[in-house]
Amino acid sequence: MKIIVLNGSPKGDISVTMQYVRYIQKKYPQHELKTINISQNINQIEKDKIVFEGIIREVRESDGILWGFPLYVFAVASQYKRFIELVSERNAVDAFAGKYAAVIATSVKVSDRTAINYMNAVCDDFGMHYVDSFSPHMDDLLQEDVRNNLLMFAQHFFDAIAEKQITAKNFQPISWQPIRYQPEAGFKKLDTTGKKVLVVTDSLENENLKKMIHTFRNSFAQDIELVNLTDIDIKGGCLGCIRCGYNYECVYTGKDGFIDFYNEKILASDVIIFAGTIKDRYLSSLWKKYFDRSFCKTHTPVLDGKQIGVLISGPLSQVPNLREILETYFEYQFANLAGFATDEYKSSRKIDKEIYALAGRVIQLAKQGFKKPKTSLGVGVWKVLRDEIYGNLRFPFVADYNAYEELHVFDSFPQNNVQKLKHNDAMMSMLQDEKIRREIYHNQLTISMISEIKKVVDDPEL
Ligand SMILES: Cc1cc2nc3c(=O)[nH]c(=O)nc-3n(C[C@H](O)[C@H](O)[C@H](O)COP(=O)(O)O)c2cc1C
């Protein structure tokens, strides 16, 4: 059997993910796993049509496709995303249609679900038979049980191909017929009250998005700065080299305009509006490049306290995975996501109102310093990162470790809560007595759960 492995790691052959593939190859010499370095060579693939067509030919002639990639900011790397876009732009989807597909995604287990969902949805859109995914922690190959499960996963994939097994369609096709949005304006102008508001977009070619941005900016009495990412000199996507780990110094520092833009515009704003168009199951690969390159601040939450609004042209309600990626991102960044506005309404007036309401909200929340509590998305990310940066990843992410110390992130380890531990010990010994245990569980437990917080509610001073 011939499997084409599309390698999504910008590091090419020295990718962690590819070691998982090499292990499968070692144990299944009867099958050929041919790896093509997609992300590492994306510039050549995009520029040289012959190279692109050579890859498509390999796909066409294969028995199955293994999408092997590292997680980059809760999805795939921008270079891989660009390849997926090229497949559609160059009408090569038919080479993938009907092929069996599987995913191997390595990560440190921060929101790997959204990356897998993204790839699964792309496979469904391409008409592939999506068999399954395998998503280990990057170091898991060291464990015997993971190695055994990896081989079983590979065997299931080979079996599915050989037996032409039926596979589930996990994602419905997107149906999208937007209206031509015509802003009608006429709202009372809002005051930014001195808050620095920045709109960032990846393109003004989509008329709806362009007009949505206009409506947003036009909602204010003051000029609202707009930055188009295409005007910034961004030499390339994140290379995954981790040079930034020591002191946030990126391999591109001094070589392109991204870092200055990030420091001088993004970090200097109180309110940031992210504006983009849905492309396949995400935004554009340029937007993905922005998120990947913002990894120059590694895992440090640099958007703390900022208000975020998102303007999207496209069927966001049909792509909840994208919504989740963005929600997770801003929670992880300690920012407050004030809301989304899209062009999904069937009337321009409603889109106007939705954007105007968002404009009012971001300013009001910025003035108040409002921040929603994190949901399980942000809490989950933070617990994983706290553990990883304290332990496994302290080296090479020295800058994160220092920042987390300053932010008291490590104080939240349960073993550091001495008072709670003492209380637990006392309770555990009391529970040895059956009479006391019954009294606690039958009569006191639920009341005791509110005893402390009720004091706050009852206190007239608070
Ligand atoms: C820019 C960048 C973004 C990353 N984003 C994530 C992420 O969102 N979630 C996660 O668990 N790991 C993330 N990682 C860690 C990588 O996914 C992980 O180290 C992976 O195993 C690298 O595989 P590779 O060597 O094949 O490229 C990120 C790494 C980089 C460089």
Side-chain angles (χ1 to χ4, degrees):
M1 213 172 269
K2 185 170 177 182
I3 305 296
I4 292 297
V5 181
L6 298 173
N7 178 8
S9 174
K11 292 186 287 180
D13 295 339
I14 56 166
S15 136
V16 169
T17 319
M18 288 307 110
Q19 307 318 305
Y20 287 75
V21 173
R22 289 184 59 216
Y23 188 73
I24 297 173
Q25 179 68 89
K26 182 172 85 172
K27 297 290 181 176
Y28 290 103
Q30 67 275 36
H31 300 306
E32 184 191 355
L33 273 72
K34 181 168 179 183
T35 300
I36 303 177
N37 290 333
I38 297 293
S39 292
Q40 193 179 43
N41 299 322
I42 191 62
N43 292 339
Q44 197 199 10
I45 294 169
E46 180 156 11
K47 276 194 205 112
D48 190 337
K49 285 238 162 88
I50 295 172
V51 175
F52 177 78
E53 277 155 19
I55 297 169
I56 297 304
R57 199 175 325 112
E58 294 275 15
V59 168
R60 225 180 267 286
E61 289 166 6
S62 72
D63 297 298
I65 303 296
L66 185 57
W67 301 88
F69 59 87
L71 239 77
Y72 269 27
V73 195
F74 319 150
V76 300
S78 65
Q79 299 92 330
Y80 211 46
K81 171 78 171 66
R82 182 66 195 130
F83 175 74
I84 290 162
E85 290 174 1
L86 288 176
V87 170
S88 295
E89 285 171 20
R90 296 182 180 174
N91 299 318
V93 171
D94 68 306
F96 291 80
K99 297 280 176 203
Y100 279 78
V103 159
I104 294 185
T106 68
S107 70
V108 295
K109 305 266 100 196
V110 174
S111 199
D112 57 343
R113 276 304 332 157
T114 48
I116 292 163
N117 285 340
Y118 169 75
M119 209 57 246
N120 186 166
V122 168
C123 288
D124 285 354
D125 290 346
F126 281 5
M128 305 181 85
H129 297 288
Y130 181 85
V131 178
D132 204 358
S133 65
F134 196 82
S135 174
H137 183 283
M138 58 187 290
D139 296 333
D140 276 353
L141 199 60
L142 299 171
Q143 293 174 35
E144 190 183 355
D145 66 324
V146 177
R147 290 196 297 273
N148 291 339
N149 279 299
L150 176 68
L151 296 179
M152 286 187 257
F153 163 78
Q155 185 65 58
H156 296 156
F157 183 41
F158 300 138
D159 290 348
I161 299 171
E163 295 162 16
K164 295 192 173 32
Q165 286 172 12
I166 189 146
T167 51
K169 285 276 171 232
N170 297 320
F171 294 86
Q172 289 296 317
I174 290 174
S175 147
W176 177 233
Q177 276 148 357
I179 61 159
R180 271 189 68 217
Y181 169 51
Q182 288 298 350
E184 291 168 25
F187 294 116
K188 187 169 166 270
K189 297 272 186 192
L190 299 164
D191 186 344
T192 58
T193 63
K195 297 292 175 194
K196 195 167 173 346
V197 183
L198 174 71
V199 179
V200 186
T201 185
D202 59 336
S203 166
L204 292 173
E205 279 169 26
N206 171 349
E207 282 295 316
N208 269 12
L209 184 68
K210 188 170 148 185
K211 289 173 185 160
M212 289 167 77
I213 292 170
H214 170 79
T215 301
F216 180 86
R217 295 172 78 204
N218 200 34
S219 302
F220 294 95
Q222 296 83 2
D223 279 345
I224 302 296
E225 187 175 6
L226 170 67
V227 173
N228 188 337
L229 292 174
T230 53
D231 295 334
I232 294 169
D233 172 30
I234 308 178
K235 290 266 185 289
C238 173
L239 302 175
C241 64
I242 316 290
R243 263 187 231 178
C244 51
Y246 184 68
N247 61 359
Y248 307 125
E249 194 171 316
C250 173
V251 66
Y252 289 104
T253 301
K255 296 189 181 133
D256 75 5
F258 183 83
I259 291 158
D260 286 347
F261 155 70
Y262 199 77
N263 289 334
E264 290 162 19
K265 299 286 182 192
I266 295 287
L267 298 189
S269 301
D270 302 303
V271 173
I272 311 167
I273 304 299
F274 290 74
T277 303
I278 290 184
K279 230 174 180 180
D280 57 65
R281 299 285 179 149
Y282 188 85
L283 301 169
S284 67
S285 55
L286 179 53
W287 259 125
K288 191 67 193 34
K289 200 181 277 183
Y290 165 92
F291 284 109
D292 292 356
R293 286 289 304 273
S294 66
F295 193 74
C296 59
K297 302 290 182 199
T298 56
H299 308 90
T300 302
V302 289
L303 303 185
D304 190 4
K306 299 189 190 304
Q307 295 296 331
I308 307 294
V310 183
L311 295 180
I312 286 191
S313 172
L316 182 65
S317 60
Q318 295 176 59
V319 196
N321 196 55
L322 170 59
R323 194 186 184 98
E324 183 170 327
I325 288 172
L326 294 169
E327 286 170 341
T328 309
Y329 185 78
F330 295 119
E331 285 194 20
Y332 142 72
Q333 278 291 329
F334 289 15
N336 187 66
L337 178 52
F340 293 85
T342 74
D343 55 354
E344 288 176 290
Y345 278 113
K346 290 289 169 218
S347 108
S348 288
R349 194 66 192 143
K350 281 196 173 151
I351 298 173
D352 274 348
K353 284 184 181 169
E354 188 193 18
I355 296 171
Y356 184 74
L358 179 64
R361 199 175 324 126
V362 285
I363 292 302
Q364 187 194 22
L365 300 187
K367 272 194 312 196
Q368 295 170 333
F370 176 76
K371 200 194 279 183
K372 279 180 285 201
K374 289 186 182 59
T375 67
S376 58
L377 301 175
V379 173
V381 169
W382 270 99
K383 293 210 169 181
V384 173
L385 287 179
R386 180 194 61 186
D387 289 6
E388 286 284 344
I389 299 298
Y390 186 81
N392 202 29
L393 294 181
R394 185 182 306 194
F395 165 79
F397 291 108
V398 179
D400 284 333
Y401 181 80
N402 293 335
Y404 285 19
E405 284 234 273
E406 247 173 66
L407 291 167
H408 300 283
V409 172
F410 303 129
D411 295 0
S412 67
F413 280 123
Q415 63 269 31
N416 292 344
N417 190 340
V418 178
Q419 215 184 342
K420 184 76 192 165
L421 290 178
K422 277 189 185 157
H423 175 73
N424 285 342
D425 281 348
M427 293 309 292
M428 297 293 267
S429 68
M430 278 164 75
L431 293 180
Q432 302 303 316
D433 183 313
E434 199 187 333
K435 242 172 93 188
I436 298 178
R437 186 167 70 235
R438 274 185 71 81
E439 169 61 17
I440 290 174
Y441 278 92
H442 286 228
N443 299 326
Q444 293 190 12
L445 197 55
T446 48
I447 292 177
S448 74
M449 283 164 84
I450 61 164
S451 63
E452 287 304 309
I453 56 172
K454 192 166 172 293
K455 283 182 198 158
V456 173
V457 181
D458 294 342
D459 188 336
E461 302 291 322
L462 294 177

